[in-house]
Amino acid sequence: MNTNKDVWVLVEAEDGKISRHATALLEEGKKLAAELSGELHALYLGPELGGIGAEAGARGAGKLYACIDGKLRQYDPLRYQQVILNLLKKQQPRLLLALSSSLGSDLLPRLAFNLHSPLVSNCAEIEVEADGELLFMKPVHKGRLFAKVRCQGEGIRIASYLPERLPSCDEAGAGSPAELVALGAAAEDKAAAIQVTGFLKADHRTIDITEADIIVAVGRGVGSKESFGLVQKLADGIGGAIGGTRPMVDAGVIPYERQIGQTGKRVAPRLIFLLGISGATEFVQGIVGGATTVAVNLDRQSPVFKAADLGIVGDLEQLMPTIVKHVRDLTGSDSRA
Amino acid sequence: MKIGVLIKTVKYVHAQTGFDLKNNCIDPEDIVRMVNPLDEVALEWALKLKDAQHDVKVVAISLGGRYAEEGLRKSVAMGADQALHLQWEEPEKLDAAALSEILAGTCKRENFDLILCGATAIDSNEGLEGPYLAERLAIPHLSSIVEISLIDGNRRLKVQRVVERGDRQLLECTLPALLTVQKGSVVPRYPTLAGFLRAEKSVVTAVQPESVGISAAGLVKCNLTETVGYCSPKPKKTRSVSPTPLSAAERVELMVNRDASRAKEGGMVVDGRSEEMFAHLTKVLEKAGVLKR
Amino acid sequence: MSGAESVLTSPERMAALLLLLAVAILAVSIVCRRVALIRSGRPVAAAPEGTGGALARFLLYVPGQWSNIRNLSMKDLAGIQHLMLFWGALFFFVYYALFFFVGDALGFASLLRGSALAQGFLGLTELFGVLLIVALIWGLARRTLLKPARLGPHFEGGLFAAITVAASALLICYFGLEALRFNLQTVSYTGPVSGLFADWLAALPSGTQAQLFHTAWWIQTAMLACFMVYVPYSDHQHAIFAPFNILASHPQPHGRFSPSGLQESYRGLAGPTDFTWKQMLEVYGCTQCGRCQEACPAATAGKALSPKKIIQHVRGSIDEAGKLVPFWHKAEAAGSVELQHRVCDEEVWSCTTCMACAEACPAFVSPLDKIVDLRRDRVMARSRFFPELTNLFRDLENFGDVFGKGKSRREDWTLGGDVRVLSEQGQADTLFWVGCQASFHDRHTKSAKSVAEVLAKGGVDMAIMGKGELCCGDPLRRLGNEYQYRNFVRKNIENLKKLHFKRIVTYCPHCYNTLKNEYPQFGGEFEVIHYTELLQDLIGSGSLKLKKQLPAKVAYHDPCYLARGNNLTKGREVLDALPGASTLDVERSGAKTFCCGGGGGAMWMRETGGAKINELRVRELVQDGPEVIATSCPYCVVMLEDGIRSLGVENVKCKDLIEMVRESV
């Protein structure tokens, strides 16, 4: 009978600290731990990260179980599994949370199977029900419905959480740093069935737009070749891939592979710029997922502004130079390669 | 070489045009039975590997009732050499842990060198049957794969898996193995007429779970999770207050006057020549994590 | 008794006879081999036409040369040239067969030339000879100086110069010989031209004249032999095959495509004999006049596609298969390539299936059905097409419509309105077949509502199929996906047969065309009309009163699938009935309408180079400054609107005809 009511959160790092989404997950974990009358603990595997204990503690983590190993710069399935499995078998928390990132989606099934634990992947919300059990809600049928799932048996409940469903965090409150529990690194095994052999950084100039995180999309309003040159500078400045509407493909400005829309590709970026695009349904249908959208258009009444988080009304020919300069000043470099 | 491809004919709710709130307004016509798109991508990878070498046999496997068989015929049309239909009515009642038990029974018998499947299904949105199956078969597995090549005399795989921001991890793995695939830049091939006609005439091998030692009662006990119901999607909780706090009056005005000059919920429309444009733009870029601060 | 016998020696005649016989046998064998090749093509379903109809057509188009006469205009006088060529050639054929071969060579000249009938015939022949020379020089001038686009891009001026020189030599010899016959007293009369020649030549001593006779005679024989070898290999063989093609071309609406065999044995176009014998006959009946190319919107836009070149490709590959490539082409044939590789992807996929080529052809050749067969080969035998089409095919197969929206959303457009859905138990006079565009596309759901409203006002008892309606299948057939097309047709026919209605009215011309002309091929016979026909009836009978004035200058664009595919131009009449609207003349309208560029699957495919067809058409439509461009096809509306926008034309709106009617009732 498992009396442990703790919530553990597996955190991932980005740009030298705990990533935004992992931080938000810690907050979520804190909330659930409180409802379960348990404690929040964090779990981290990777290279040395200065201040991670403080960060985790600031979000409410009591302990930080960390396996600091320079060789874990990249996710290594078998080594992560080895380190975490032993730990979880010993500690048996109530709930283990991770992001439904590429790492989380790969790691959690391994853990769940070997712990004989129920796993609910891609959760949008988790509630504690009256009987103390957890209710997981996840989008199904491409988000049309939520399925409500309960776990059975006595095993550790394991869940991956959709990052886009996590509310964004404010500044952290005060909190003492988490107690660091060092975990032994996994032995390197050259004969392991899975070997990590390298890493390919995405080049925003060549990446397929369906995989691109940031997109700069162009439409008829872009106008001249000079303006398009500036569009490319903007894309380089923010590391965005260039996409566009069908008329731009028809006019030969961009190749067919970069067409977004009903007869083109479906894209799911985090951030998308819509430059000189009117926002016709055939185009807008091509953008799925909640992307932060910035639209620039001459016409204040253009339907594109209904789809944008930030709408800028003005003439692209005049605005592009100022926008590009502003971005350059902010990013401090010409290209983000 | 024998490649198994897990095919799921999804029961996909693509619209809600009914009027009965009790069943979430789902009309029978709203349900579309189709082959899970990522499973088609997996099959395309298997067929690509078959095109590149000549001694590869591609076997499509599906678990379910009548619709699973239709999905298998589509796989044969695309080019699968054999189709195995694990007959099971109402697979929705079993979760991934239990389903992988039936799959494992069959796959053990078939002795695949490589098993491919889609990373997730558009109806259940889980992505667990593949990894659980691999664990049951005690073979290595990797997810979100977008490039596959056979190396070392068909004894190892060289793969690329997607991580965030379009970056990719390069990995190698021994065979036999299981891979779950993402779309990448693959376009599943469209069958030729010969393929369609072959599929119409082909024999889909039916496999009864009992023949691989599975009993219905035993399986239901394998369920570790249970779907207790469905509801409409809930909006995302917002915790923090908007940085430029609007007064109550302003908030009401925002809600009431929804015309083109007010963009998305919380969105802004500004003049391109104004100073505030830069401030808003900076905020957007910062929020998106473009600026390294 | 005098005759040519006394000038020509027996050995001469024997030699000439043998030469001509040999060449004739060669020529006939070539033609026979070609006929055998044609007959080895796939069979064609028998068409319901009486011999009377076929004969009438033959007489009108072959001796009557109706196509040439019909095409005559101040800008295009070439028909006169062809009339001269045709009748001239006919007369000379008779002359050479009868008077030269049987007469001179076999020695029956005096017998044949004796009668007044013969004299009259010969006189006429001489006049035609003059006309022939004029026609030949005119033809040469067209190919070297005038160079009209449709004869290009390869004008073959050199070849035609050679033919002109050779034929002129032949004719000069002919005149000379006729004249010399008189001067040498082997005949007793001259014709109008030979009379002149006779006077000019009379001055020469008779020995010289006799010499000239022999020379001219041999030149003539040589020229004849050359032509007899050349014609069966060249473009001029259309003279042999076109008449038969015209006889076999039973009339049917251009919009009706033939079904293709869908058996295991379907090989696509693996070999040229995978075409039907009718298609192969057409290819040899092609005159290379280029009217198809001139009418083709893709060719006009400068794209890779030219219907004329498609026929050339097909002919080349059939020639090679039958080893009928003339020796002077052998050098090119060495690098010859299969048909499916000769025709590049851009050519095959640029076609908008507008049928202008089939309509323009004076010889009843349809480049369109060969392009469609090339598409079928690519889609069904090779699965070789642009990836965006895969999305279209998969959406259709999984969801039943071109947008991938799904059957259950078919009734969404009716929300808030008053449209009845026909159940199996119910009954309606008219079933409104809405179509994918009007059911789902933002721009066209308004038109669907307008149709429902207007027909209700007109007192029509109407209902829709609702969720049971699937895509009519038209895009599948135009793109060459016959297999899926058949699946859709069968399902639709099954669903339609469960319902009780008298007739179907459609919004979209593509749905109209396929339901009316092609569904019967699969056992679905329904009475199908387009909404413009129904409107015209209602307006005419007074059931629908058009009250409000809509003052506007309107340019009407006839949709291909109505005006050309089905000879349906009721839209224009409806427009004329709208109070206040004044219809402008559009140059290419009715059956000659110029495509909007949206057909043949173009809506879903990338641009294939060249200019944009819709922009060309918009430029044409706005020439006289209309305020409105009206049309009655959803694809045309989208394409023309897009053209207006991309050209930046101001003060013109594109409107759907039904919208205008609704505004007026």
Side-chain angles (χ1 to χ4, degrees):
Chain A
M1 189 66 199
N2 186 12
T3 52
N4 188 325
K5 300 203 191 100
D6 293 340
V7 174
W8 284 31
V9 171
L10 174 68
V11 298
E12 297 181 43
E14 191 180 74
D15 299 332
K17 54 183 177 38
I18 301 181
S19 75
R20 284 180 306 132
H21 293 306
T23 309
L25 190 60
L26 277 171
E27 290 278 353
E28 181 69 20
K30 180 171 83 173
K31 186 193 76 151
L32 287 169
E35 288 177 42
L36 288 170
S37 313
E39 285 180 14
L40 171 69
H41 299 302
L43 176 57
Y44 169 74
L45 290 89
E48 178 77 43
L49 269 192
I52 184 178
E55 282 179 62
R59 298 290 171 182
K63 293 203 180 89
L64 170 66
Y65 292 90
C67 172
I68 306 294
D69 183 352
K71 295 198 211 68
L72 288 178
R73 200 162 296 276
Q74 272 197 65
Y75 165 62
D76 185 327
L78 296 177
R79 290 167 70 179
Y80 268 60
Q81 182 181 337
Q82 196 185 353
V83 169
I84 300 179
L85 259 184
N86 291 333
L87 181 62
L88 287 175
K89 278 182 183 152
K90 264 198 313 197
Q91 299 293 334
Q92 295 282 330
R94 189 93 178 100
L95 172 66
L96 170 67
L97 286 176
L99 294 169
S100 331
S101 54
S102 172
L103 188 158
S105 308
D106 188 277
L107 177 63
L108 294 190
R110 298 173 198 273
L111 301 175
F113 184 86
N114 286 293
L115 293 167
H116 306 293
S117 276
L119 163 58
V120 186
S121 56
N122 302 324
C123 295
E125 263 186 47
I126 306 177
E127 284 173 7
V128 179
E129 300 204 285
D131 63 350
E133 263 301 338
L134 291 159
L135 180 69
F136 301 85
M137 274 172 283
K138 57 179 290 180
V140 290
H141 300 289
K142 287 204 187 166
R144 193 163 280 285
L145 289 173
F146 274 15
K148 297 193 280 199
V149 184
R150 279 170 63 104
C151 296
Q152 294 170 337
E154 293 304 319
I156 303 169
R157 274 84 174 97
I158 307 184
S160 65
Y161 211 111
L162 291 168
E164 58 266 23
R165 289 289 305 196
L166 289 163
S168 46
C169 300
D170 318 316
E171 288 302 311
S176 49
E179 178 197 332
L180 189 66
V181 177
L183 301 170
E188 192 161 343
D189 183 359
K190 291 283 183 211
I194 297 174
Q195 299 285 343
V196 179
T197 57
F199 193 79
L200 274 184
K201 200 113 179 62
D203 181 349
H204 68 271
R205 281 178 224 133
T206 55
I207 190 177
D208 188 306
I209 55 169
T210 54
E211 291 185 62
D213 223 29
I214 301 174
I215 296 181
V216 177
V218 292
R220 264 198 270 253
V222 162
S224 64
K225 266 202 163 98
E226 289 75 40
S227 289
F228 188 68
L230 289 172
V231 167
Q232 281 172 321
K233 286 208 167 73
L234 172 65
D236 285 340
I238 60 174
I242 295 191
T245 60
R246 184 168 175 172
M248 295 309 267
V249 173
D250 288 349
V253 176
I254 53 173
Y256 179 75
E257 290 69 40
R258 294 186 182 272
Q259 181 176 322
I260 297 169
Q262 194 178 67
T263 53
K265 299 198 170 154
R266 305 266 153 83
V267 296
R270 262 184 311 129
L271 170 65
I272 183 165
F273 278 77
L274 304 179
L275 307 176
I277 293 175
S278 64
T281 18
E282 285 100 353
F283 173 80
V284 174
Q285 263 174 23
I287 310 174
V288 298
T292 305
T293 311
V294 178
V296 183
N297 197 295
L298 190 54
D299 178 9
R300 197 177 196 91
Q301 299 303 318
S302 172
V304 77
F305 290 123
K306 289 203 193 84
D309 292 293
L310 172 62
I312 302 174
V313 182
D315 184 349
L316 266 167
E317 296 259 349
Q318 293 171 359
L319 286 177
M320 278 313 292
T322 49
I323 292 179
V324 170
K325 180 173 177 309
H326 183 72
V327 166
R328 271 212 212 145
D329 291 342
L330 288 174
T331 58
S333 63
D334 268 318
S335 70
R336 184 180 178 261
Chain B
M1 188 175 170
K2 208 167 167 195
I3 305 182
V5 183
L6 304 182
I7 301 286
K8 182 177 184 188
T9 304
V10 296
K11 189 178 166 188
Y12 172 53
V13 173
H14 88 284
Q16 285 159 290
T17 59
F19 299 100
D20 187 359
L21 283 165
K22 271 189 252 106
N23 77 340
N24 294 293
C25 297
I26 298 174
D27 189 86
E29 301 272 10
D30 291 326
I31 298 179
V32 171
R33 306 276 183 171
M34 52 190 271
V35 175
N36 183 37
L38 285 178
D39 292 344
E40 282 187 332
V41 172
L43 179 58
E44 175 61 23
W45 270 114
L47 295 171
K48 270 206 228 282
L49 292 171
K50 181 177 163 191
D51 289 340
Q53 317 199 329
H54 294 288
D55 55 346
V56 175
K57 183 171 170 196
V58 175
V59 180
I61 307 169
S62 191
L63 190 150
R66 152 166 90 96
Y67 294 105
E69 193 191 317
E70 284 176 22
L72 283 171
R73 286 196 191 278
K74 291 207 180 127
S75 309
V76 171
M78 275 174 73
D81 297 297
Q82 195 192 354
L84 294 178
H85 179 195
L86 304 183
Q87 299 193 314
W88 191 274
E89 296 304 323
E90 296 184 317
E92 310 85 69
K93 295 236 164 68
L94 297 175
D95 76 351
L99 286 171
S100 59
E101 180 81 46
I102 316 176
L103 291 169
T106 318
C107 290
K108 276 196 189 106
R109 216 176 48 172
E110 292 292 321
N111 239 326
F112 291 116
D113 296 294
L114 174 62
I115 304 177
L116 299 172
C117 65
T120 45
I122 53 173
D123 57 352
S124 53
N125 190 20
E126 274 193 325
L128 301 178
E129 292 96 344
Y132 285 170
L133 170 62
E135 292 285 340
R136 284 191 199 276
L137 295 174
I139 58 177
H141 59 105
L142 288 166
S143 63
S144 301
I145 302 297
V146 288
E147 282 293 329
I148 306 175
S149 45
L150 290 163
I151 54 171
D152 204 11
N154 287 2
R155 282 191 296 256
R156 290 168 70 78
L157 285 171
K158 194 164 89 152
V159 299
Q160 288 182 24
R161 64 182 294 268
V162 289
V163 291
E164 279 65 39
R165 306 203 176 175
D167 297 336
R168 300 210 180 149
Q169 271 193 301
L170 303 169
L171 299 110
E172 283 181 20
C173 159
T174 57
L175 287 178
L178 180 142
L179 301 173
T180 79
V181 302
Q182 284 288 1
K183 177 112 180 21
S185 50
V186 161
V187 177
R189 64 192 62 184
Y190 189 75
T192 59
L193 176 65
F196 281 122
L197 294 176
R198 190 159 52 98
E200 274 177 22
K201 290 194 334 206
S202 71
V203 174
V204 172
T205 314
V207 177
Q208 298 299 336
E210 293 77 42
S211 69
V212 287
I214 309 286
S215 79
L219 260 189
V220 180
K221 287 208 214 81
C222 276
N223 271 355
L224 288 172
T225 58
E226 186 199 348
T227 304
V228 297
Y230 293 90
C231 63
S232 341
K234 298 186 173 192
K236 174 172 147 184
K237 288 195 206 120
T238 43
R239 195 178 292 126
S240 44
V241 180
S242 120
T244 49
L246 300 167
S247 71
E250 283 168 327
R251 270 192 288 244
V252 167
E253 203 201 77
L254 195 68
M255 283 195 310
V256 166
N257 299 331
R258 284 191 186 283
D259 63 354
S261 62
R262 287 274 179 245
K264 277 161 107 173
E265 177 91 61
M268 285 257 82
V269 179
V270 298
D271 189 295
R273 289 158 300 181
S274 64
E275 281 307 307
E276 56 169 346
M277 188 265 284
F278 293 108
H280 286 294
L281 190 56
T282 308
K283 204 159 37 87
V284 163
L285 292 175
E286 200 173 26
K287 207 178 105 175
V290 172
L291 312 174
K292 297 190 210 286
R293 285 253 175 104
Chain C
M1 175 173 86
S2 60
E5 302 90 90
S6 66
V7 183
L8 294 167
T9 63
S10 289
E12 256 184 321
R13 284 188 289 117
M14 190 59 68
L17 189 64
L18 287 172
L19 173 64
L20 290 174
L21 260 177
V23 175
I25 289 173
L26 178 65
V28 168
S29 82
I30 294 169
V31 174
C32 283
R33 276 168 57 200
R34 201 163 260 128
V35 170
L37 190 60
I38 290 172
R39 292 181 70 191
S40 72
R42 280 190 297 118
V44 174
E49 192 196 23
T51 35
L55 201 58
R57 184 175 53 252
F58 179 87
L59 290 172
L60 184 63
Y61 283 91
V62 183
Q65 289 287 293
W66 177 239
S67 298
N68 281 301
I69 298 175
R70 188 181 55 185
N71 283 329
L72 281 176
S73 73
M74 282 320 293
K75 278 190 270 185
D76 188 2
L77 295 168
I80 299 177
Q81 185 211 359
H82 192 268
L83 274 167
M84 297 196 283
L85 280 171
F86 177 83
W87 281 101
L90 209 54
F91 269 80
F92 274 91
F93 181 76
V94 172
Y95 170 83
Y96 280 112
L98 211 53
F99 292 92
F100 184 79
F101 196 79
V102 176
D104 292 338
L106 286 176
F108 295 109
S110 52
L111 196 63
L112 290 167
R113 285 172 188 263
S115 65
L117 184 64
Q119 183 174 4
F121 176 81
L122 289 168
L124 258 177
T125 310
E126 290 192 13
L127 286 173
F128 273 110
V130 175
L131 287 177
L132 263 177
I133 295 185
V134 170
L136 285 163
I137 295 174
W138 184 356
L140 183 61
R142 294 187 77 218
R143 284 181 182 267
T144 51
L145 300 171
L146 295 169
K147 291 198 171 172
R150 67 176 167 87
L151 290 178
H154 304 295
F155 291 92
E156 298 186 298
L159 177 66
F160 276 77
I163 294 174
T164 307
V165 165
S168 305
L170 181 68
L171 289 165
I172 304 284
C173 287
Y174 158 75
F175 291 131
L177 283 167
E178 293 294 296
L180 288 167
R181 271 178 236 274
F182 178 75
N183 284 358
L184 297 168
Q185 288 163 357
T186 56
V187 298
S188 53
Y189 56 80
T190 59
V193 183
S194 55
L196 286 170
F197 272 65
D199 293 336
W200 298 333
L201 293 167
L204 297 167
S206 73
T208 323
Q209 289 195 55
Q211 269 304 93
L212 273 175
F213 191 96
H214 288 280
T215 318
W217 202 82
W218 276 106
I219 293 176
Q220 193 176 227
T221 309
M223 289 295 109
L224 267 178
C226 286
F227 275 114
M228 279 163 75
V229 169
Y230 177 68
V231 168
Y233 276 125
S234 71
D235 289 340
H236 305 284
Q237 65 186 299
H238 76 261
I240 305 166
F241 292 104
F244 291 98
N245 181 41
I246 292 173
L247 198 59
S249 295
H250 310 295
Q252 63 169 10
H254 286 302
R256 180 185 297 150
F257 289 16
S258 318
S260 97
L262 292 175
Q263 318 83 350
E264 201 68 56
S265 55
Y266 177 73
R267 309 186 314 149
L269 293 175
T273 52
D274 288 313
F275 285 107
T276 64
W277 63 258
K278 172 70 166 71
Q279 287 175 313
M280 291 164 80
L281 181 57
E282 281 182 19
V283 154
Y284 289 112
C286 168
T287 66
Q288 300 284 307
C289 71
R291 284 184 193 277
C292 53
Q293 183 176 287
E294 192 178 45
C296 174
T300 309
K303 293 181 196 282
L305 172 65
S306 153
K308 184 168 86 167
K309 198 154 67 130
I310 297 281
I311 300 288
Q312 283 170 348
H313 284 311
V314 175
R315 212 163 93 177
S317 76
I318 299 179
D319 278 345
E320 276 162 34
K323 303 212 197 337
L324 282 164
V325 183
F327 57 84
W328 58 88
H329 280 158
K330 274 292 189 312
E332 295 156 34
S336 78
V337 150
E338 284 185 1
L339 179 62
Q340 36 278 10
H341 300 306
R342 265 192 228 237
V343 184
C344 69
D345 285 339
E346 277 75 29
E347 285 177 83
V348 171
W349 300 112
S350 298
C351 179
T352 62
T353 65
C354 75
M355 305 163 274
C357 54
E359 206 270 337
C361 181
F364 291 78
V365 177
S366 169
L368 178 59
D369 70 36
K370 298 161 197 55
I371 295 172
V372 174
D373 273 344
L374 280 163
R375 288 184 170 191
R376 288 173 181 175
D377 170 75
R378 272 174 161 76
V379 172
M380 295 204 288
R382 283 157 226 282
S383 190
R384 174 175 147 189
F385 42 83
F386 296 129
E388 53 268 34
L389 288 181
T390 316
N391 295 334
L392 174 66
F393 292 153
R394 285 214 150 82
D395 277 347
L396 277 165
E397 283 159 41
N398 289 328
F399 297 98
D401 61 83
V402 299
F403 296 103
K405 290 267 175 76
K407 291 198 316 185
S408 62
R409 314 264 318 254
R410 285 257 174 194
E411 291 174 23
D412 282 4
W413 67 270
T414 63
L415 288 173
D418 192 16
V419 182
R420 187 158 67 99
V421 175
L422 191 59
S423 68
E424 288 180 30
Q425 295 75 32
Q427 201 177 319
D429 179 72
T430 306
L431 178 72
F432 174 27
W433 181 278
V434 190
C436 298
Q437 293 289 335
S439 302
F440 299 114
H441 192 287
D442 282 348
R443 178 78 169 81
H444 303 121
T445 47
K446 298 186 222 128
S447 301
K449 289 197 192 109
S450 302
V451 171
E453 253 183 69
V454 168
L455 293 188
K457 282 223 171 82
V460 178
D461 170 29
M462 184 204 82
I464 62 170
M465 270 178 98
K467 293 182 180 179
E469 191 179 305
L470 285 175
C471 178
C472 64
D474 168 86
L476 293 165
R477 173 161 261 194
R478 310 306 148 203
L479 284 167
N481 194 342
E482 273 296 293
Y483 178 75
Q484 286 302 338
Y485 174 71
R486 188 181 61 172
N487 287 344
F488 271 80
V489 172
R490 285 194 179 150
K491 263 185 263 172
N492 278 322
I493 292 177
E494 201 184 299
N495 289 337
L496 282 168
K497 285 198 166 149
K498 290 189 200 144
L499 301 172
H500 306 280
F501 54 87
K502 293 212 195 77
R503 61 185 177 177
I504 301 176
V505 68
T506 77
Y507 162 71
C508 169
H510 293 263
C511 298
Y512 166 75
N513 177 64
T514 197
L515 284 168
K516 182 178 160 98
N517 293 318
E518 298 174 324
Y519 272 46
Q521 293 167 348
F522 301 90
E525 309 256 359
F526 305 101
E527 188 192 325
V528 184
I529 56 175
H530 187 253
Y531 81 80
T532 48
E533 292 181 86
L534 186 50
L535 282 182
Q536 212 244 354
D537 271 346
L538 295 173
I539 295 171
S541 70
S543 313
L544 196 63
K545 305 234 188 309
L546 301 170
K547 298 175 232 143
K548 294 206 200 74
Q549 291 276 334
L550 294 176
K553 287 197 289 180
V554 185
Y556 184 69
H557 165 81
D558 283 288
C560 299
Y561 274 73
L562 287 182
R564 185 162 38 240
N566 289 279
N567 277 315
L568 201 58
T569 49
K570 294 280 159 59
R572 208 171 272 281
E573 293 171 38
V574 170
L575 199 56
D576 286 335
L578 283 178
S582 64
T583 342
L584 299 170
D585 273 328
V586 174
E587 202 176 308
R588 286 186 282 198
S589 63
K592 295 239 181 293
T593 186
F594 188 80
C595 185
C596 69
M603 200 62 111
W604 294 279
M605 281 193 282
R606 62 191 68 184
E607 277 286 317
T608 49
K612 292 176 69 180
I613 296 173
N614 60 339
E615 286 182 1
L616 293 177
R617 182 53 164 173
V618 167
R619 278 213 198 94
E620 190 180 354
L621 289 168
V622 300
Q623 260 169 23
D624 292 329
E627 290 148 349
V628 174
I629 293 179
T631 185
S632 44
C633 168
Y635 292 88
C636 295
V637 166
V638 168
M639 297 305 289
L640 293 176
E641 217 167 48
D642 196 66
I644 291 173
R645 206 166 359 157
S646 66
L647 284 175
V649 181
E650 304 196 342
N651 307 320
V652 184
K653 290 176 75 126
C654 181
K655 283 197 171 173
D656 197 335
L657 185 63
I658 188 66
E659 280 172 32
M660 296 178 75
V661 172
R662 189 184 59 84
E663 283 171 28
S664 178
V665 294

